[in-house]
Amino acid sequence: MSSSANPFVNAGRPASSRLSRAAAIVGVGHSDWVGDWKRTRAGEKPSDGYGYGAIAFREALADSGLKRDDIDGLIAGPATAYERLSEVLGIDPRWGDQADAVLSVIKAITAVESGLAETIALVYGNDQRSAKIQYGGPQAMGGDAFLSYVYHAPWGLTSQGALYALTFQAWKHARGFEGDDLGYVAVAQRAWSSMNPNAIQRKRITLDDYRNAPYICEPLRLFDYCQINDGGVALIVTTAERAARLGKPPVYIQGFGRRDLNQGATSLEPRLTDYYRPAQEDCARQAYEMAGFGPADMDMLQVYDSFSVHVPLALEGYGYCKIGEVRRFFREQGIGPGGKLPINTSGGHLSETYMQGWAHQIECVRQLRGECGERQVPNCRHAHYTSDVCGNAVSIVYSR
Amino acid sequence: MTDVVEAVRTPPAVMGLYDGPMWASIREGTMRLQRCLNCGEMQYPPGPVCPHCLSSNLEWQPISGRGTIVSWVVYHRTYLAAYPEPYNVVAVKLAEGPFMASNLEGETPAQSWIGAPVRMVYSTMLDGTVLPRFTLAATSAGKTP
C-alpha cells in the first residue's frame, strides 16, 4: 500500500476479529434476470419489487436446504419496505432492518454474532426498469439521501453517469490515463458475461466496439454504463455453527471494512480531489486486517460497477496496483478470463444486470463454491467484494 | 408563451432554509456565500453552521467570482428541455475554497480544461432564472472571450 499514515483523525480500531468467520452465507437465489429483461423491454410488467424479492427468496431457501420457519431475521433491500416485505414473505422476524447490498451483510453478521437473530434472509427486489425509475433529473432517485444528486440540477448536472464522468475526467488527467483504455473494463466484463447464462448482455465486444460507441456523458461512452433491469436477489446468512450442518459448503465472511468521505460531498470535492482513495485505503486496511491477508491473496475481485470507472479506482484504492499503473495492469496482468485478477466474473452491472451490488455477492458465493461452470475461477478460495458509492467505501472478504 | 417558458423551465434549485439568501444574491448579480467569522472559512452549499469549526457565527459575503476548473464533462444526450445536447458541466474550485458545479460559457479550451482559470458571469435563462456560470478568464486565453 502506498500510504503509511492513516489520514483520518478518527482512525478507530478494526472491528473485532471475533467476527471473522463467525457467520456464513448458506443460500443464494435470484429471479430470472434474462426473462425479466426481455419482458420489461417488451413493455410488460412481470412483477413488482416484492414479487422479485419473493422469487429470489424462494430460490435461496431451496439452495440452502433451510425451511422458511428457520428464518428469524430479515433485511429488506432499499427498494422495498421492511414490514411489507416480511408480510409478503410470511415471516415474523425476531430482528429486521433495511439496508443496501453490502451493509446488509455486515448488519447480518453483527445481528448473528450478538444473538439478535440466528438465520437472516437478505432480500432485494426492484422494479426499477418497468417502473421507469429516474437516476437523473431533478427528481433523481436517492436525492433525499444524497444532496449532490439533485443540488446541481439548475446547471443540468443531474445524472449519476455525469458525476462519475467528472471523477474519471479528473482522475485520468492526474494519472495520464488514455480515456479509451477504460474500454478494457467493458471488454473484459463482456468476455465474462459471454459465459454466464444469467447475464442479459452476452455478446463479446472489442476495444474498437468500445471506441466506436457514442459518448453518453463524455468522457464516458455507452459501454461504460450499467444495465438497468427489474429483478430480485436473496442471500441467507447464519452462524458458522449452523452453516456447517447444512448441505452446501459454507462461504464465510472473513473480513470487512468501511470508511465514508462525507465532508464536501455535495460540492463533489472528495470525488474530484482524491477520487475516494483515502476512504478505499482505510476500508481496505480494516478488511485485510480482519481477514488476515491482503490483495495478493485474493483470487477474484468484485467491484460495484454502476459505471466502469469504479474498476480502475478500486484497483488503486484497494492496493491491487500502484498509483498510476492501472493502464499497465489492464494490459499486462489482465482482468478478464485468463487474466491475473478476475474482476466482475459474472459480467457485473455492465453486462449481467444492475442489481445494485446484490448480484455481485451471490457471484462471490458461487465462485467460492465452485458452481460457475465455464467462467469458474480455478481453485477460488478468497473473493473480495467492494463498493464505493458516493464516497462510502465498503468491503467484504468472502472465504471458503 | 407560457407553454414555451414551461418547455425550457430551468431545473429547480434545492431550496433549503439557507439557500434562499444565496439565490437572492445571485439574482442581484453578486453571489454571496457564508463566511465563518470564527475560523474564516467559506462554505458551499450554504448551511446552518460552519462545518470546519461548528460556529454559528456566519456572515453572507460576496465572492470574488474567480476560480479554476477542476473537471468537466460534455453531455451528448438530452435529458432536460432546458439543456439540449451537447452542453457542458464544469466543476470549479472557487478562489475562496469551496468547489462548485456550473457551466462554462463561450470559448472552451482547446485541450484539457483542467486548471483553466475562470471568472463568474450571471446568465439569464429563457424562463428568467439567473444562474452563476463561468467563462475563461481573459488572462489565461490571452484574449477576450
Side-chain angles (χ1 to χ4, degrees), chain A residues 135-352:
Chain A
Y135 291 100
Q139 308 301 326
M141 171 62 74
D144 48 350
F146 300 101
L147 189 54
S148 63
Y149 287 16
V150 291
Y151 200 79
H152 313 294
W155 296 272
L157 173 61
T158 61
S159 68
Q160 295 302 298
L163 295 178
Y164 280 96
L166 278 167
T167 301
F168 179 62
Q169 186 87 276
W171 178 83
K172 82 183 178 77
H173 179 83
R175 300 288 187 262
F177 188 87
E178 289 292 327
D180 283 351
D181 282 342
L182 187 59
Y184 280 98
V185 176
V187 170
Q189 292 190 201
R190 199 56 78 79
W192 284 117
S193 71
S194 73
M195 300 184 284
N196 177 7
N198 298 317
I200 60 181
Q201 299 290 354
R202 299 189 61 192
K203 188 168 170 284
R204 280 174 174 260
I205 56 168
T206 64
L207 280 174
D208 276 339
D209 295 331
Y210 174 82
R211 283 187 211 104
N212 293 332
Y215 284 123
I216 306 296
C217 187
E218 187 183 349
L220 297 189
R221 297 178 183 276
L222 179 67
F223 291 117
D224 294 313
Y225 282 65
C226 67
Q227 306 284 336
I228 292 180
N229 193 16
D230 280 17
V233 184
L235 302 94
I236 296 173
V237 175
T238 191
T239 59
E241 236 171 32
R242 189 168 201 178
R245 300 197 299 267
L246 293 169
K248 296 251 175 131
V251 168
Y252 295 97
I253 293 121
Q254 182 84 23
F256 56 82
R258 172 179 176 182
R259 172 62 77 173
D260 301 347
L261 286 183
N262 293 341
Q263 295 190 56
T266 302
S267 76
L268 313 178
E269 185 169 348
R271 54 169 94 218
L272 297 174
T273 47
D274 285 320
Y275 331 106
Y276 295 150
R277 193 162 50 83
Q280 293 171 325
E281 287 181 350
D282 193 43
C283 167
R285 182 184 61 80
Q286 298 172 54
Y288 298 157
E289 195 164 313
M290 186 170 165
F293 49 85
D297 294 296
M298 300 298 174
D299 298 302
M300 59 180 282
L301 175 64
Q302 293 283 109
V303 181
Y304 185 102
D305 56 331
S306 43
F307 306 96
S308 55
V309 184
H310 291 280
V311 171
L313 302 184
L315 284 173
E316 284 189 349
Y318 296 100
Y320 287 92
C321 77
K322 292 201 177 84
I323 303 304
E325 295 201 347
V326 170
R327 182 168 189 254
R328 209 161 92 190
F329 194 93
F330 281 167
R331 289 170 175 233
E332 294 175 13
Q333 311 282 317
I335 60 174
K340 187 156 177 259
L341 181 66
I343 297 184
N344 290 343
T345 52
S346 63
H349 289 152
L350 300 185
S351 292
E352 186 187 46

Side-chain angles (χ1 to χ4, degrees), chain B residues 61-84:
Chain B
Q61 293 185 4
I63 59 170
S64 68
R66 288 181 290 108
T68 309
I69 295 179
V70 177
S71 191
W72 92 102
V73 296
V74 178
Y75 278 77
H76 293 269
R77 287 222 175 161
T78 300
Y79 295 102
L80 305 158
Y83 285 94

